[in-house]
Amino acid sequence: CLPSCLACDRQCLCSAESMAEYSTCMCLVKGLFYHCSNDDEGDSCADNPCSCSQAHCLSRYACMGALSLVLPCLLCYPPAKGCLKLSRACYDRINRPGCRCKNSNTVYCKLESCPSRSDSKPS
């Protein structure tokens, strides 16, 4: 995985994955699917709305297609995911040579430039 940081008193995850989701409005689609899905199904389409292996694939893609008319930034999600995959492969090849498991731990670093919550509250 690419490096990521917990910023602002460990409340905000700054990573390439979250940047791709927020900049392409996919976070809005995930929120919509989360609130509109049936909790009894067991598979959460909100976690991976572009998956073809879960139920209601056609209706999810139709919904995302309709949303892309008002949120054209959704059309940038597939290229952004492709760039992420390529960046992750290059990063791993350079910094972590050898065989690695797919589910490896994310590297976190502490970001010192964000004020903590206790610093910003008045007494």
Side-chain angles (χ1 to χ4, degrees):
C1 288
L2 295 170
S4 59
C5 296
L6 288 173
C8 299
D9 201 22
R10 299 181 145 279
Q11 293 186 1
C12 179
L13 177 65
C14 297
S15 67
E17 291 86 1
S18 63
M19 184 184 72
E21 284 194 13
Y22 290 119
S23 64
T24 61
C25 302
M26 187 53 76
C27 57
L28 296 174
V29 172
K30 287 184 174 187
L32 177 73
F33 287 166
Y34 173 78
H35 288 291
C36 294
S37 68
N38 186 3
D39 292 335
D40 298 335
E41 291 177 3
D43 59 343
S44 178
C45 61
D47 294 334
N48 196 1
C50 298
S51 172
C52 292
S53 63
Q54 295 173 336
H56 311 293
C57 176
L58 185 60
S59 61
R60 280 196 319 271
Y61 274 97
C63 180
M64 286 189 286
L67 283 173
S68 70
L69 296 174
V70 293
L71 296 171
C73 53
L74 284 174
L75 299 174
C76 296
Y77 185 71
K81 284 296 277 189
C83 288
L84 271 176
K85 192 175 244 186
L86 180 64
S87 298
R88 188 178 301 124
C90 291
Y91 178 82
D92 287 344
R93 183 169 292 263
I94 293 169
N95 291 321
R96 300 171 16 160
C99 183
R100 300 286 179 191
C101 297
K102 281 188 174 184
N103 298 327
S104 62
N105 292 333
T106 302
V107 178
Y108 290 102
C109 64
K110 188 170 181 180
L111 198 67
E112 299 293 333
S113 62
C114 287
S116 65
R117 288 189 125 196
S118 59
D119 294 342
S120 61
K121 288 184 181 177
S123 305

